[in-house]
Structure formats: C-alpha cells, structure tokens
Amino acid sequence: MTLNFPERIEIPVITLPNIVFFPGTSLPLYVVDDIFQDIFEEATCAGNPIGISLAMEKDFETYFAYPCEVFGIGQPLMIERVDGNTLKVLVRCIGKCQVNYPTQSNPYPMYNVTILKDDECVMSNIDEFYRLESILYNWLDINIPNDQDRDYFIETLNKPDQIINYVATFIIKSRQIRQLLLEQDNINDKIKILSSLITDEHIFHEDPIVAQAFEEFVSEKLQLKQAN
C-alpha cells in the first residue's frame, strides 16, 4: 500500500484499550467524547489522517496514553451524528507508522511519525495462506448472517495482506499478539505466526498454549527494550 504522504508527518493519535489497527481494515467507532469528536471532525474537514494505537494494559485509565511504537494510520470515510451527541465514524486504515516524538499535548496530542512500508516479497507458503483465508470466510459466515452484507464485505478483500490482517483482527484475541503481528514487515512472517497460533483444534481463536509462549516473548522483548 502506497501512501501519498511525506516520509515523516505530524498527526493526532488516539489510543484505544483493545484495538490494533491493521492496514487495509476498517474500524467503525461511536465517539461520545467532545475532544475525540473534534479530532475526527477536524481531520475529516482537512483531509488529514489520524493515528489509532493500542493502549497497553497499564495505561487503560490514562485519558491520552502514549502510543505504541508502531500503530495504524486511518482516514475517516464516513462521519455522521446519531442520537444527538454521538458521532458515528468509519475509519479506513491506509498504512502504519512508527512514533518519533510528541509535538503537541493540548487540546489533543499530536506526534511526529515515520511512515512504514512492508517488505515487497513473494508469498512462499501458499497452502497456509489459503487455510487462513478459509478460516476467515468461515468466521464471516457465522458472524455476518446477512448474505448481502457478507458478500459485500468479501468483495472488498482483494489483497493477500488485507486478508491476513483481517484474520489477525477477527481471530486473534490477545492484544499483545495482534500488536506483534502489526509490527511484522513481511507477509510470510505473519502467516507463519498465525499458522502456529490457529490450529485445527482452535480455528476461531488462538491456541492458548502457543499464545502464552508468544505473550511471554513479547513481554521479554518489551522488558529488554525498556532496560536499554
């Protein structure tokens, strides 16, 4: 996915407690808070992107937590008022970035970020890709009962990395593992991780034993980074 932005840009960033925003996916939001509404309305009017980052567990109670090192960049596609004070927003993830430093704190945080690009490579594990794609379609059959809505959604799935990112979004429950997947730059690495997590015994959520091993790896990696 190519973004028509400079390599480094300044964007507002929203942190959410359980959302890892993957490129090629869409995120519906119902926004009640006035400051968050201002972020979306101003970005929509100016045609600017918004960063949406996972808030780690220790920061759940923080109003504007510092974002993860890597997070998704979204473009609001639809914005409308519902029920008086609620703003309904559909945000399309158009890429991902790495945070550099904050540039503004009030009325909402802005960050200087570097646009990231995934590796351009040939997919080497086609069989595993098709297995994950089949699992995604089975999940959609169960969770989107309306045939028309489901068919429309499937029609939007036109790239392998988009399919893999939706597998991570819908199937993987662990926020730490979803964040780990977002940080991968190679689709083959993502497929390898997902294939080890989604076994024949656990097709609609990650295998708990494998997931625990990955979560321990992520925790150790974070501790080493903080120590350095």
Side-chain angles (χ1 to χ4, degrees), residues 116-131:
L116 299 177
K117 297 180 181 179
D118 286 344
D119 296 338
E120 294 184 3
C121 60
V122 176
M123 191 161 38
S124 60
N125 34 11
I126 300 296
D127 290 342
E128 278 303 312
F129 168 77
Y130 284 133
R131 186 178 80 89

Side-chain angles (χ1 to χ4, degrees), residues 135-153:
I135 290 171
L136 175 62
Y137 288 165
N138 288 336
W139 186 94
L140 294 172
D141 283 340
I142 295 172
N143 290 276
I144 306 181
N146 184 286
D147 292 342
Q148 186 175 356
D149 291 344
R150 185 173 62 253
D151 291 344
Y152 176 78
F153 182 85

Side-chain angles (χ1 to χ4, degrees), residues 65-103:
Y66 198 87
C68 293
E69 183 177 0
V70 175
F71 52 86
I73 302 173
Q75 195 83 52
L77 295 180
M78 180 191 72
I79 186 166
E80 63 176 316
R81 290 276 173 190
V82 293
D83 299 330
N85 294 324
T86 301
L87 197 67
K88 182 181 179 181
V89 184
L90 180 67
V91 191
R92 177 76 167 173
C93 189
I94 57 177
K96 64 182 181 180
C97 65
Q98 180 174 335
V99 66
N100 296 319
Y101 52 84
T103 60

Side-chain angles (χ1 to χ4, degrees), residues 3-220:
L3 300 182
N4 296 319
F5 299 120
E7 182 181 357
R8 294 178 68 148
I9 60 174
E10 185 177 297
I11 58 173
V13 178
I14 292 173
T15 52
L16 299 172
N18 197 35
I19 299 297
V20 177
F21 202 23
F22 287 90
T25 67
S26 295
L27 177 66
L29 294 172
Y30 288 86
V31 185
V32 177
D33 186 276
D34 290 341
I35 295 180
F36 285 103
Q37 289 187 11
D38 288 344
I39 293 175
F40 282 107
E41 289 179 330
E42 290 172 15
T44 301
C45 290
N48 292 331
I50 295 172
I52 298 181
S53 171
L54 174 69
M56 301 308 288
E57 191 168 352
K58 65 183 180 64
D59 294 327
F60 278 2
E61 301 302 321
T62 305
Y63 191 66
F64 280 122
Y66 198 87
C68 293
E69 183 177 0
V70 175
F71 52 86
I73 302 173
Q75 195 83 52
L77 295 180
M78 180 191 72
I79 186 166
E80 63 176 316
R81 290 276 173 190
V82 293
D83 299 330
N85 294 324
T86 301
L87 197 67
K88 182 181 179 181
V89 184
L90 180 67
V91 191
R92 177 76 167 173
C93 189
I94 57 177
K96 64 182 181 180
C97 65
Q98 180 174 335
V99 66
N100 296 319
Y101 52 84
T103 60
Q104 170 185 301
S105 58
N106 290 311
Y108 50 76
M110 301 274 292
Y111 291 87
N112 179 281
V113 302
T114 298
I115 302 297
L116 299 177
K117 297 180 181 179
D118 286 344
D119 296 338
E120 294 184 3
C121 60
V122 176
M123 191 161 38
S124 60
N125 34 11
I126 300 296
D127 290 342
E128 278 303 312
F129 168 77
Y130 284 133
R131 186 178 80 89
L132 294 171
E133 182 183 48
S134 176
I135 290 171
L136 175 62
Y137 288 165
N138 288 336
W139 186 94
L140 294 172
D141 283 340
I142 295 172
N143 290 276
I144 306 181
N146 184 286
D147 292 342
Q148 186 175 356
D149 291 344
R150 185 173 62 253
D151 291 344
Y152 176 78
F153 182 85
I154 291 174
E155 287 177 3
T156 68
L157 303 176
N158 49 30
K159 294 183 179 180
D161 59 339
Q162 187 184 23
I163 291 171
I164 292 301
N165 286 341
Y166 266 120
V167 171
T169 298
F170 292 148
I171 307 296
I172 302 301
K173 308 306 179 188
S174 166
R175 64 179 69 90
Q176 295 96 326
I177 296 176
R178 275 184 274 129
Q179 180 65 29
L180 173 67
L181 287 161
L182 177 68
E183 295 173 5
Q184 304 306 305
D185 297 326
N186 188 300
I187 189 172
N188 294 309
D189 293 338
K190 293 179 184 179
I191 292 173
K192 185 177 180 180
I193 293 172
L194 286 168
S195 295
S196 65
L197 286 162
I198 304 172
T199 62
D200 291 338
E201 293 78 21
H202 303 86
I203 61 170
F204 290 151
H205 60 83
E206 60 267 38
D207 182 297
I209 296 176
V210 180
Q212 182 179 359
F214 271 105
E215 288 176 344
E216 290 173 356
F217 167 78
V218 172
S219 297
E220 290 174 1

